[in-house]
Amino acid sequence: MKQKKTRKWSLLIAVMLIVTMLAGCGSEAQKEFVAPNETYSIMMDESWSPEDMYDDGILAIFSKDETRGIVVIQFPKEGMEDYYSSIDDIKSNVEQTFTMDTVTGVTGPASISGMSNISAYTSSVVMEGQTEECYTVYGETDYAYYSMIYMAKKVNDKKIEKFHTVCGSFTEKVS
């Protein structure tokens, strides 16, 4: 009887270990990506790579196959009041810069640490002759306004959910 119980427990533990190992498959190790001006960061799969956008306030990272990208743009508030003074100014600027079409308000991340006035939109954009779908999140801190853009050939609920996690990892590092 004792041997049967031991065998059952051994089998149960083996099954649990296999399930745990399989659950970990597909989830990649995370890496902190820091903006060139070192004032904010986000976490994303370590397989993604940063690309220099020649602006210290822009953090751009792309998937290994370069079919998906995240671009975070920081608009510091101090001294820029003549150019923008609200999140609506930022939204308008980003939509014009990226030539976004069919902009539709959608549900955004529940919260982003230190950020207020959070809103989200879907849109399409033509980049290098290719139509991409975008999911854009806007928000502000005491220091700056932010635009966080996720671009891919196709944006679906699963990708948006993953992007919400990325947005949730946002950390501002200003003093």
Side-chain angles (χ1 to χ4, degrees):
M1 179 92 163
K2 190 174 185 179
Q3 190 176 16
K4 280 185 177 182
K5 247 185 183 178
T6 304
R7 207 176 297 171
K8 283 182 182 180
W9 277 109
S10 296
L11 182 60
L12 179 62
I13 290 171
V15 169
M16 288 174 58
L17 285 172
I18 290 170
V19 168
T20 303
M21 287 171 39
L22 290 175
C25 291
S27 64
E28 299 195 29
Q30 298 289 296
K31 175 181 174 182
E32 181 181 33
F33 289 91
V34 180
N37 65 9
E38 299 182 1
T39 59
Y40 68 91
S41 68
I42 58 172
M43 299 292 288
M44 187 53 182
D45 297 340
E46 68 180 3
S47 65
W48 284 49
S49 302
E51 186 172 308
D52 190 353
M53 301 304 283
Y54 307 102
D55 182 316
D56 284 353
I58 299 176
L59 173 61
I61 60 174
F62 295 90
S63 62
K64 189 182 289 189
D65 62 4
E66 297 185 356
T67 60
R68 295 166 290 144
I70 295 172
V71 178
V72 182
I73 307 170
Q74 178 190 66
F75 300 87
K77 292 178 177 179
E78 189 173 313
M80 301 305 287
E81 298 83 4
D82 291 343
Y83 300 100
Y84 47 82
S85 60
S86 72
I87 200 75
D88 291 331
D89 292 342
I90 300 309
K91 183 177 176 288
S92 177
N93 179 293
V94 169
E95 287 175 5
Q96 288 176 346
T97 301
F98 285 90
T99 318
M100 294 180 170
D101 291 328
T102 321
V103 178
T104 306
V106 294
T107 303
S111 69
I112 300 173
S113 180
M115 232 183 245
S116 63
N117 208 6
I118 298 168
S119 60
Y121 302 85
T122 58
S123 63
S124 62
V125 63
V126 177
M127 300 285 289
E128 298 176 1
Q130 302 273 349
T131 301
E132 300 278 331
E133 291 184 1
C134 293
Y135 177 81
T136 307
V137 175
Y138 298 95
E140 66 180 290
T141 65
D142 290 340
Y143 177 76
Y145 300 104
Y146 289 90
S147 171
M148 305 170 114
I149 306 166
Y150 174 78
M151 286 183 264
K153 188 72 175 162
K154 190 81 176 149
V155 175
N156 59 34
D157 290 344
K158 185 177 178 181
K159 290 177 182 176
I160 289 172
E161 185 178 315
K162 171 71 174 177
F163 187 57
H164 281 187
T165 302
V166 172
C167 292
S169 72
F170 170 86
T171 304
E172 192 175 62
K173 303 170 184 182
V174 294
S175 44

